[in-house]
Amino acid sequence: PNVNNIDVYHFTPAELKERGISVLPGTLEEALLELEQDDVVRGVLGEHAYEDYMRIKREEWDEYRIRVSQWELERYLETA
């Protein structure tokens, strides 16, 4: 097959690593952990704005993660 036309969606983590393909964060929490490692963004925003942004986004993640979704209600609290 043409290497420029490969669907990487079904690659295993090992296949992705072997090919040097990184993946985007799957959650806001993962994105924040990545952002903590990025000195460029921190430098551009400045320490004060960076800390405020991180605090606000962590609060947002905490609020999101404790909510019960409609999917969870349907899956785990089915009533017959």
Side-chain angles (χ1 to χ4, degrees):
N2 180 346
V3 295
N4 295 323
N5 200 19
I6 296 175
D7 183 358
V8 299
Y9 180 77
H10 299 289
F11 280 11
T12 65
E15 290 171 318
L16 291 170
K17 184 176 181 180
E18 177 183 310
R19 290 173 171 83
I21 300 171
S22 57
V23 295
L24 293 172
T27 65
L28 177 56
E29 179 182 39
E30 290 175 4
L32 293 173
L33 292 172
E34 289 292 325
L35 184 57
E36 286 179 336
Q37 307 303 313
D38 192 330
D39 292 333
V40 173
V41 173
R42 181 181 235 145
V44 168
L45 290 177
E47 197 62 31
H48 181 73
Y50 172 83
E51 291 298 330
D52 284 348
Y53 179 82
M54 292 298 285
R55 179 183 48 75
I56 290 166
K57 289 301 179 180
R58 284 186 187 113
E59 289 171 3
E60 180 181 328
W61 173 250
D62 283 341
E63 184 179 328
Y64 171 81
R65 70 181 180 79
I66 64 172
R67 297 214 181 238
V68 177
S69 71
Q70 186 62 37
W71 180 87
E72 291 168 309
L73 291 171
E74 291 168 3
R75 176 149 179 125
Y76 300 117
L77 296 177
E78 279 188 26
T79 57

